[in-house]
Amino acid sequence: MTVLQVLPGLDSGGVERGTVDLARELVRRGHRSLVMSSGGRLQAQLEAEGSTHITYPVHRKSLASLWRVPGLRRELDELAPDVIHVRSRIPAWMVWLAVGKRPPGQRPALVSTFHGLYSVSRYSAIMGCGDRVIAISDCVRDYITGNYPQVDPARITRIHRGVDTAQFPAGFTPSPEWRDTFFADYPAARDKPLLLMPGRLSRWKGQLEFIELLARLRGANIACHGLVAGEGDPGKEAYREELVARAAELGIAGDLSFLGHRSDMAELYAVASVVCNLSQHAEPFGRTVIEALAVGTPVVAWNEGGPAESLRESLPAGLVTKGDMDALAAAVSGFLAAPPAVSLPASFTLQAQVEATLAVYREAIAAGAAAQSGN
């Protein structure tokens, strides 16, 4: 089949990486993979792995996006996909206005993925437009059914995000060259247990709580070094400066390294003793959790949202009541003292995700064909 995934851009983030992962698997299985976005740093990888990228401005939250709907309609008719998979609200609105009002069977099958716990509004309701709707976790599925009653539960399929175990293999060991370069760049991290905090620099991601955790561990004479992997949004550099100042205030500036954007996450997970997920709002999934678990590194996270779903099935000892800093420090120190055996359940692998997603695509295509024959 020909599958077109549509999303705002391809710079970084869980949605973007998941799009590229699925595209790679579609190509490997002999399907025609198309991705439409405004472009970004992951575009080169996407194309190198066999997909076709169509650059189109499907990212702007402005009236100009409405003016581009006729051009998008022509573009979609020319591409003639069997399935259009929309992954964000602006692209979903544009695709729906372009072809969604055509009867099923006279347009591509539409599949939408709820990647987040979107604000409840008419604007967000468009994510229920698909002939089939994918929820990336049980908490997202419950959020849809609880807040968007117009979305028939029979159209919703929960498909956990899956990690590519070829990119994040169990027991992965970084090369000596990588280790030499990394510890030359960050000498303060050498010969210490490493705590890794991956994710975009944003207050809700919990970096301030991570710094508090490091201070508590130091106060308990537990040696470790913190790594913050991720960059902030343009124009929001003040938050990074706040983090640096807070670390200095707590006397742990030398126990913390800011790594910025990284493309070597498998290596970072592998050298870390513990990975932390401390988001202040319930995350719909939490890709870094399953990536770390796939490599074999224990994860500590608040007991809510998508990350909790992953850990309940793989490492429940890593779950901590949200905001309980004492329990958080105890869980991390426990893992440092006695590293647990870690393995990722098969249901959280890319293989399982792709199989389930292809099944949804086929259901949507079949439903459209049945509707057309019924007419």
Side-chain angles (χ1 to χ4, degrees), residues 189-207:
R190 191 184 297 274
D191 299 325
K192 296 185 183 72
L194 301 177
L195 305 186
L196 176 62
M197 179 73 174
R200 179 167 49 90
L201 290 188
S202 176
R203 192 175 303 278
W204 78 271
K205 283 288 189 179
Q207 286 92 4

Side-chain angles (χ1 to χ4, degrees), residues 112-360:
S112 58
T113 292
F114 265 80
H115 283 282
L117 305 175
Y118 305 118
S119 59
V120 180
S121 63
R122 291 185 64 187
Y123 170 60
S124 299
I126 192 62
M127 295 310 297
C129 72
D131 301 310
R132 293 294 184 273
V133 177
I134 295 172
I136 66 171
S137 61
D138 290 329
C139 74
V140 171
R141 179 181 57 193
D142 293 345
Y143 189 81
I144 298 170
T145 58
N147 292 284
Y148 295 99
Q150 70 274 24
V151 181
D152 183 355
R155 290 194 287 121
I156 304 172
T157 302
R158 190 270 286 140
I159 304 177
H160 284 133
R161 301 299 82 188
V163 61
D164 185 349
T165 53
Q167 293 188 348
F168 299 93
F172 175 70
T173 301
S175 69
E177 293 78 14
W178 183 91
R179 294 181 66 93
D180 289 344
T181 299
F182 180 79
F183 289 113
D185 291 340
Y186 302 98
R190 191 184 297 274
D191 299 325
K192 296 185 183 72
L194 301 177
L195 305 186
L196 176 62
M197 179 73 174
R200 179 167 49 90
L201 290 188
S202 176
R203 192 175 303 278
W204 78 271
K205 283 288 189 179
Q207 286 92 4
L208 280 168
E209 287 70 20
F210 182 68
I211 290 172
E212 173 70 21
L213 167 65
L214 292 173
R216 285 176 178 248
L217 293 173
R218 179 166 183 174
N221 294 316
I222 298 173
C224 60
H225 188 86
L227 305 174
V228 175
E231 62 184 357
D233 292 332
K236 296 186 178 180
E237 292 77 9
Y239 178 60
R240 186 185 187 283
E241 296 171 3
E242 180 183 346
L243 295 174
V244 171
R246 180 58 176 159
E249 180 183 352
L250 293 174
I252 61 163
D255 299 324
L256 180 65
S257 296
F258 291 89
L259 309 184
H261 173 76
R262 305 292 298 202
S263 58
D264 53 356
M265 290 306 301
E267 285 82 359
L268 291 175
Y269 292 133
V271 297
S273 297
V274 179
V275 172
C276 296
N277 182 295
L278 305 175
S279 295
Q280 298 305 290
H281 307 298
E283 281 201 77
F285 188 72
R287 174 174 289 272
T288 60
V289 173
I290 60 169
E291 290 175 347
L293 294 172
V295 171
T297 302
V299 177
V300 173
W302 302 132
N303 189 10
E304 66 173 12
E309 292 179 33
S310 307
L311 284 175
R312 285 189 198 111
E313 294 194 32
S314 53
L315 188 64
L319 291 172
V320 177
T321 300
K322 182 179 176 181
D324 190 337
M325 296 301 298
D326 290 335
L328 178 66
V332 171
S333 61
F335 284 169
L336 292 177
V342 176
S343 62
L344 182 72
S347 57
F348 292 96
T349 64
L350 180 60
Q351 180 80 7
Q353 179 195 336
V354 172
E355 292 290 349
T357 302
L358 286 172
V360 168

